[in-house]
Amino acid sequence: MDHQESENKPSQERPVFEALLYPHRSLGRKGYAILIAGTAAIVLLYGLVFLALGAWPIFGFLGGEWLLFWFLFRRHHSGDDRAERIRLYADHLVFERYDKRGGHTKEQLQPYWLNVILERAEEPDNALYLRSHGRSIRLGVFLSGQERRDLARELQAVLARHRSSPSLG
């Protein structure tokens, strides 16, 4: 989750606040490559031992198991490319959602009437919403409960500062 605030910049070109939300990945590209290469080397060594002992079917089964491991792990590792972006400008807030399949939705809300709602705040499965004029957007579904609490506090503070800013009236 990355956040940044922009100050003293033209309000129409640059956002006053911007947050990019994405799921946490515990294993990066380099770690993924090391894991795949390491397991391949181990499986190959075991397979060669069984091949040398004349148990060649085991060599094939080990190879098949490793291919299944690689396929499933690759699908899991590349399967969560979701992201959400929140940008606050002087006169509007833009919420964008990017899904796993490359789809993109964009919503624009008026920041002066916008409410940041954190339901079941103290529970781990809390829910964070942006609500304005009868519209409700759930955000940060892939974040942890604590990350949603932190984001809600930050959004509330940014919106309060934005609403009280004398230069925006």
Side-chain angles (χ1 to χ4, degrees):
M1 185 167 53
D2 292 334
H3 308 287
Q4 64 187 29
E5 271 194 79
S6 307
E7 295 181 19
N8 301 325
K9 296 175 184 169
S11 62
Q12 294 302 327
E13 285 97 33
R14 294 226 166 111
V16 176
F17 171 81
E18 182 171 9
L20 178 62
L21 313 173
Y22 48 87
H24 175 71
R25 288 194 176 267
S26 58
L27 187 65
R29 290 184 186 270
K30 185 178 179 182
Y32 173 77
I34 291 170
L35 177 70
I36 294 301
T39 56
I42 291 168
V43 167
L44 180 64
L45 287 175
Y46 275 111
L48 290 175
V49 167
F50 282 109
L51 194 60
L53 293 173
W56 58 268
I58 294 175
F59 182 77
F61 284 116
L62 285 173
E65 285 179 351
W66 183 84
L67 286 174
L68 180 63
F69 165 77
W70 168 77
F71 173 74
L72 293 174
F73 202 84
R74 184 181 64 136
R75 285 202 58 197
H76 171 73
H77 192 259
S78 66
D80 207 359
D81 291 335
R82 297 177 290 172
E84 296 173 345
R85 176 174 293 181
I86 304 164
R87 290 183 288 175
L88 175 63
Y89 295 92
D91 60 344
H92 64 282
L93 180 134
V94 176
F95 175 78
E96 296 175 280
R97 178 174 284 140
Y98 303 89
D99 65 24
K100 301 176 195 182
R101 302 180 195 279
H104 176 250
T105 57
K106 185 175 183 177
E107 299 213 36
Q108 187 169 319
L109 301 166
Q110 207 279 348
Y112 297 100
W113 302 104
L114 186 65
N115 291 314
V116 178
I117 310 291
L118 184 63
E119 293 182 350
R120 301 178 317 277
E122 296 307 316
E123 295 180 24
D125 66 337
N126 56 24
L128 180 59
Y129 294 92
L130 296 177
R131 289 192 181 139
S132 178
H133 290 74
R135 289 176 33 203
S136 183
I137 301 170
R138 186 167 182 186
L139 65 140
V141 192
F142 44 77
L143 299 176
S144 71
Q146 184 60 48
E147 289 171 324
R148 281 190 294 273
R149 280 189 288 277
D150 293 343
L151 179 61
R153 269 192 296 274
E154 186 172 2
L155 284 173
Q156 289 166 342
V158 165
L159 286 169
R161 278 195 310 273
H162 181 69
R163 291 176 188 133
S164 65
S165 174
S167 63
L168 299 174

